[in-house]
């Protein structure tokens, strides 16, 4: 009964949130988290660098993608307001990046960088939304464990395609056309990671 009476969070709640946090509305509930720690931002920046050259610009790779850091997405009819760490759209589906403040077209790929403060929300709230919206690939990146879980939408849910660990380079779906320098993502001193 209490849940039925609870006010559903909206975009107005996101706009009213403290500007020092990232605000999202997932299944009608407002979630806020502090801005990412520098170690978290390093992973996102390095991964964007690895992908944009070959997959956006076609330098040493096939091109055909738009890859964005921290895009605001409004997905579904209610909508859910979600901010993945990185998201990518095939140019065939999104010919150009719109000038709007947010995007309503679900991406083809997202990456979430896990931290102690985000792992639960990323896995239990965001993944079902990505599944509902038919996001074909999701990467869950854990800088502490130095792993990348590659998930592919397969029927009704995600299938774990691989967990990448140890090797300094990898070919990971949907970007397997180019060997990525995944070693560059990891912190120089993993034991000193800030809690992001």
């Amino acid at each position: 009964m209490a849940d039925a009476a609870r006010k559903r969070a909206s975009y107005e709640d996101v706009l009213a949130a403290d500007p020092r946090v990232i605000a999202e509305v997932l299944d009608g509930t407002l979630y806020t988290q502090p801005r990412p720690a520098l170690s978290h931002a390093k992973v996102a920046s390095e991964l964007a660098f690895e992908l944009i050259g070959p997959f956006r610009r076609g330098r040493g790779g096939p091109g055909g993608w738009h890859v964005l850091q921290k895009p605001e997405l409004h997905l579904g009819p209610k909508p859910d307001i979600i901010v993945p760490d990185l998201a990518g759209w095939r140019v065939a589906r999104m010919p150009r990046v719109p000038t709007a403040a947010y995007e309503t077209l679900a991406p083809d790929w997202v990456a979430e960088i896990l931290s102690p403060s985000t792992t639960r929300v990323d896995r239990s709230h965001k993944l079902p939304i990505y599944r509902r919206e038919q996001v074909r690939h999701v990467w869950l990146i854990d800088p502490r464990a130095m792993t990348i879980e590659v998930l592919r939408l397969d029927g009704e849910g995600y299938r774990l395609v691989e967990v990448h660990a140890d090797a300094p380079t990898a070919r990971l779906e949907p970007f397997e056309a180019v060997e990525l320098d995944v070693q560059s993502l990891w912190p120089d001193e993993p034991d000193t990671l800030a809690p992001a």
Side-chain angles (χ1 to χ4, degrees), residues 83-160:
V83 182
D85 289 303
L86 289 109
W89 292 260
R90 293 182 186 274
V91 170
R93 288 187 59 239
M94 187 169 80
R96 61 187 64 76
V97 176
T99 58
Y102 57 84
E103 180 53 55
T104 59
L105 178 67
D108 296 292
W109 164 85
V110 296
E112 293 290 357
I113 301 165
L114 306 177
S115 68
S117 64
T118 66
T119 296
R120 185 172 183 195
V121 169
D122 289 341
R123 288 184 181 277
S124 64
H125 296 288
K126 289 185 175 185
L127 268 179
I129 293 167
Y130 294 145
R131 182 181 65 233
R132 181 194 74 208
E133 296 299 316
Q134 299 292 295
V135 176
R136 183 88 174 120
H137 287 90
V138 175
W139 290 5
L140 299 174
I141 303 170
D142 187 339
R144 290 174 183 276
M146 294 189 285
T147 60
I148 302 173
E149 293 175 57
V150 177
L151 307 175
R152 182 193 318 130
L153 193 61
D154 188 10
E156 294 296 313
Y158 283 106
R159 181 168 66 86
L160 180 63

Side-chain angles (χ1 to χ4, degrees), residues 46-68 86-95 97 108-109 137 139 170-182:
E46 292 288 347
L47 182 55
F49 177 79
E50 284 293 310
L51 296 174
I52 288 172
F55 292 98
R56 171 62 186 123
R57 307 231 183 265
R59 294 184 190 138
W65 285 82
H66 295 293
V67 176
L68 303 175
L86 289 109
W89 292 260
R90 293 182 186 274
V91 170
R93 288 187 59 239
M94 187 169 80
V97 176
D108 296 292
W109 164 85
H137 287 90
W139 290 5
R171 293 181 182 270
L172 305 172
E173 288 186 26
F175 302 110
E176 66 271 18
V178 171
E179 195 166 60
L180 302 176
D181 176 10
V182 294

Side-chain angles (χ1 to χ4, degrees), residues 13-96:
D13 297 305
V14 169
L15 295 174
D18 186 324
R20 296 170 293 184
V21 302
I22 294 172
E24 299 173 294
V25 175
L26 309 173
D27 299 318
T29 301
L30 179 69
Y31 289 87
T32 61
Q33 60 181 303
R35 303 294 293 167
L38 292 179
S39 57
H40 186 109
K42 176 192 183 294
V43 174
S45 297
E46 292 288 347
L47 182 55
F49 177 79
E50 284 293 310
L51 296 174
I52 288 172
F55 292 98
R56 171 62 186 123
R57 307 231 183 265
R59 294 184 190 138
W65 285 82
H66 295 293
V67 176
L68 303 175
Q69 290 187 54
K70 292 279 184 201
E72 183 175 307
L73 308 175
H74 291 212
L75 302 176
K78 297 259 171 145
D80 289 295
I81 301 165
I82 191 165
V83 182
D85 289 303
L86 289 109
W89 292 260
R90 293 182 186 274
V91 170
R93 288 187 59 239
M94 187 169 80
R96 61 187 64 76

